[in-house]
Structures are given as structure tokens and as C-alpha cells.
Amino acid sequence: MSLYEEWNKLLDEQEREQNFWKEFLLKEKDTYQSILGKELSEERGTILELGEKYKLTPMEVVGFIDGINTSLEKEIPLDILDETSNVELRINFDKLYYNMLEARAEWLYKLEEWDKILTKERRKEIKKEFDKTRIAVSNKVGRNAPCPCGSGKKYKKCCGK
């Protein structure tokens, strides 16, 4: 069984286990603080080396990579990773910040280490882009609006009869 399969099995087993999630999310936060604090846009090494560096088990390293994978310049195929696999994490910080907003990971996107990486203005821009994707758009046509069929008549005098 690959580390990724083990990670997913553990997630299924620990779905409601609050202590597991509390511990893992703290480790994840510490890892992000370290990466952001050192302004590391690239991190490389074996799964085992990264685990030792960030105080994570190999399975937790794969879980961390699973979480950051869509924020990387090139995604890593997770199901082939083992302890000796070499990985290269090339982080796109704009994507990472956006994805943290999307995940509602306030404990991560509000880290003070972001101040060194992205300006407040850039973070506001990313937040604005994110918020645009959350706006609901109604397809309802008002009675006095031009008819969407293109006739040039008001909706109430055309298709709205």
C-alpha cells in the first residue's frame, strides 16, 4: 500500500477524531510557518528528509503535499510516493494564498509570515478575485428589461407574455 493510500485510509478512520485533526493541523501550521518564514518557494528532498526537517511522519508529509499540491507549479503524482521518493515543491504563493482562502483555512492565510511573501495589497487583490467566484448571479430577467431572445422588445411584451 502506498503512503498516499495509507494517508487516505487514516483519514477515513480518523474522520471524526478531533485529537488527530488538532495535532495534524498544528503540524501543518508549523510547516507553513517555517516555509513562509524562510521565504522558501522551493523545497526538495526525499519524503523521509522532509519529514525529519518538519517533524512529520512520512505519511503526514504525503498528507501535507496532498494539501499543497494544487498550489505547486507542477503537481506531484501522490500515489507513487514512498519514503525514498525525491520530491520538488515549487510553490506558487499567489495560488497557495488563494487555495487557503478557498479551504477556509483562516489559521493559515492569516499567518504573519505572509507579510514577507505577499504585500497586503496583493493579498487584498487575491481575496477580491476569490470573492468574485463566490458571487451568485441570477439569470432572472426583469419584466421591463430587454428580452433575451434579441427581438428588441421588452421582456413583458415578448417572451414574458
Side-chain angles (χ1 to χ4, degrees), residues 8 20 52 56 80 83 114 126 129 144 157:
N8 283 317
F20 166 79
E52 289 171 5
L56 301 169
I80 61 169
E83 292 180 357
W114 276 111
I126 294 170
E129 290 170 29
N144 291 315
K157 298 279 186 178

Side-chain angles (χ1 to χ4, degrees), residues 41-129:
S41 61
E42 280 190 33
E43 182 64 276
R44 49 180 84 169
T46 66
I47 296 294
L48 208 52
E49 290 168 345
L50 294 174
E52 289 171 5
K53 183 175 184 177
Y54 294 108
K55 299 180 180 90
L56 301 169
T57 67
M59 195 173 18
E60 290 170 334
V61 171
V62 171
F64 177 80
I65 294 171
D66 187 22
I68 198 173
N69 215 3
T70 58
S71 303
L72 300 177
E73 297 293 339
K74 183 179 177 191
E75 288 191 33
I76 297 170
L78 300 171
D79 33 349
I80 61 169
L81 297 177
D82 63 30
E83 292 180 357
T84 61
S85 298
N86 277 304
V87 292
E88 185 176 338
L89 310 176
R90 299 178 105 188
I91 304 166
N92 178 324
F93 288 120
D94 285 8
K95 264 194 211 177
L96 179 60
Y97 191 79
Y98 184 94
N99 289 338
M100 286 178 174
L101 290 169
E102 192 169 46
R104 296 186 180 121
E106 189 173 330
W107 67 96
L108 297 176
Y109 68 76
K110 287 197 173 179
L111 290 172
E112 63 185 40
E113 285 80 3
W114 276 111
D115 293 342
K116 293 180 182 178
I117 305 292
L118 299 173
T119 64
K120 286 187 180 189
E121 292 77 27
R122 182 63 188 138
R123 285 180 279 165
K124 282 182 185 176
E125 288 171 18
I126 294 170
K127 174 84 165 94
K128 195 173 182 177
E129 290 170 29

